[in-house]
Amino acid sequence: RTGAVYDLSRLPRNLHGEAEFVMKAQNAVDPMLGIMVPVTDNALWGGDIMLYDQPRVLTVHVTKAKNPAEHAALMAIIRQHGQRGVMNQLARKAYVYAKRQGKDVRIVVDRLPPQQQRW
């Protein structure tokens, strides 16, 4: 089973073709501070999740308000499988598979790529 399909009106050109590819999922950058949102026990786990591919050509934002089920599924992946960032203080990140389908991006939530990626 695969995750939700996100309809994006202004997608960049498709570098990945029909193949699945890896996207990094992490808490989005705080637009006011320009820094990653810190993870604490009462964390801002309700914040946006930003996903992007390695060349950063494709970026997707998943919000709790617009996509609550998808947001919850991705947050569970980040919590269970994610790695801490620099100095163990920054938001966690996890890697997921995705696939372009025309103007849609399908995020795969039932299987994960290796969580040690070199990028």
Side-chain angles (χ1 to χ4, degrees):
R1 169 173 146 324
T2 55
V5 174
Y6 301 96
D7 183 15
L8 306 173
S9 59
R10 289 178 271 164
L11 280 177
R13 65 188 176 91
N14 186 352
L15 296 178
H16 307 289
E18 296 295 315
E20 282 187 349
F21 56 94
V22 175
M23 292 189 87
K24 184 185 291 186
Q26 64 187 44
N27 291 68
V29 172
D30 184 317
M32 299 300 288
L33 301 176
I35 59 172
M36 296 300 292
V37 178
V39 175
T40 61
D41 287 340
N42 62 352
L44 301 168
W45 284 112
D48 290 0
I49 300 170
M50 179 176 61
L51 296 104
Y52 53 92
D53 61 355
Q54 187 173 13
R56 288 193 181 226
V57 171
L58 177 61
T59 302
V60 177
H61 290 269
V62 179
T63 64
K64 188 175 184 178
K66 289 184 179 180
N67 307 98
E70 294 82 1
H71 185 276
L74 286 169
M75 287 313 303
I77 290 170
I78 293 170
R79 280 190 188 120
Q80 293 171 14
H81 304 283
Q83 303 169 12
R84 293 268 186 181
V86 177
M87 299 187 320
N88 210 29
Q89 298 298 315
L90 300 179
R92 291 183 184 202
K93 62 184 176 189
Y95 297 92
V96 295
Y97 287 117
K99 186 173 182 178
R100 291 280 296 263
Q101 296 178 329
K103 291 186 177 183
D104 298 330
V105 177
R106 182 171 297 278
I107 307 299
V108 179
V109 297
D110 63 342
R111 60 187 170 80
L112 300 175
Q115 293 300 297
Q116 297 293 327
Q117 299 282 328
R118 302 195 89 194
W119 53 292

